[in-house]
Amino acid sequence: MFAAVLLVACQRTPPAEPLAVEPAATPAPAPAPASTAPVASSDADWQGYGAAQLGIDVDQLRAVWGSELQGDAAADGGCYYLSPAAHTEGGPFFMLEEGKFVRYDVRGGDTAAPGGGKIGMDLSQLQSLYPQAEPVQPHKYVADGKVLRVPATDGSQGALVFELGADGKATVWRVGLPPQVDYVEGCG
């Protein structure tokens, strides 16, 4: 019986008129591949880094980050850093003090700071991006280096600090709450 059905199916004659062919729909763009990194460079803002918002406690930071953070807590509840286990050398590095996330540092790469500033930009470029910046200060440790501090533009307590080398170009930047954002030595 199966052979008879197959024989009948093969003997069908095509329709007399060609079938109307609908124009092919433009395919939707393929979704971007999922990143293995928990956050993207655009996640830097005045109030934190992605879902990691300034002021949350260490357990909340670990939960919202979504991947392993490495580093050891200070025995006395003092200042320490956590960093993503799969991070690049540039950061972000999360500063915690008294169990709270208070600052993040970017020490390399092309991650844009809130407002668009990046490592490698010179002072005039940064000042044009941040007209609200405070007057430039000398760097505490770098001869001819400078520090540019920028208050948050969103009404939050956060601030952005760029450190510039003797060549006048940004070498690192950080966002955080005062007074921790102004610690030159990090947790030093």
Side-chain angles (χ1 to χ4, degrees), residues 5-6 35 47 54 65 72 80 85 90-91 94-95 101 107 115 119 138 157 159-160 170 178 185:
V5 171
L6 222 112
S35 171
Q47 297 180 35
L54 296 170
W65 187 251
D72 296 321
Y80 66 99
F94 303 113
M95 178 189 278
F101 171 42
R107 302 176 190 152
I119 292 172
Q157 296 176 357
L160 166 63
E185 296 89 0

Side-chain angles (χ1 to χ4, degrees), residues 6-36:
L6 222 112
L7 184 60
V8 171
C10 290
Q11 293 179 350
R12 287 184 25 187
T13 57
E17 302 177 14
L19 295 174
V21 177
E22 305 239 354
T26 305
S35 171
T36 57

Side-chain angles (χ1 to χ4, degrees), residues 12-172:
R12 287 184 25 187
T13 57
E17 302 177 14
L19 295 174
V21 177
E22 305 239 354
T26 305
S35 171
T36 57
V39 296
S41 62
S42 63
D43 286 332
D45 69 34
W46 297 103
Q47 297 180 35
Y49 200 91
Q53 297 294 288
L54 296 170
I56 62 176
D57 68 35
V58 66
D59 293 330
Q60 291 169 319
L61 176 62
R62 288 180 187 283
V64 299
W65 187 251
S67 66
E68 183 183 353
L69 292 172
Q70 58 190 14
D72 296 321
D76 62 356
C79 183
Y80 66 99
Y81 278 92
L82 292 177
S83 62
H87 81 288
T88 64
E89 289 184 22
F93 300 94
F94 303 113
M95 178 189 278
L96 291 102
E97 192 170 65
E98 296 179 13
K100 300 286 184 189
F101 171 42
V102 293
R103 162 178 151 177
Y104 65 93
D105 297 34
V106 174
R107 302 176 190 152
D110 63 355
T111 301
K118 291 185 176 185
I119 292 172
M121 288 185 163
D122 65 32
L123 180 59
S124 64
Q125 290 172 306
L126 294 171
Q127 288 174 319
S128 69
L129 286 173
Y130 304 100
Q132 77 278 20
E134 297 172 359
V136 176
Q137 299 294 315
H139 196 288
K140 185 174 179 179
Y141 296 113
V142 178
D144 297 323
K146 307 272 186 254
V147 174
L148 182 68
R149 188 178 193 279
V150 184
T153 59
D154 66 357
S156 68
Q157 296 176 357
L160 166 63
V161 175
F162 287 96
E163 292 186 24
L164 294 89
D167 65 355
K169 295 188 178 190
T171 57
V172 297

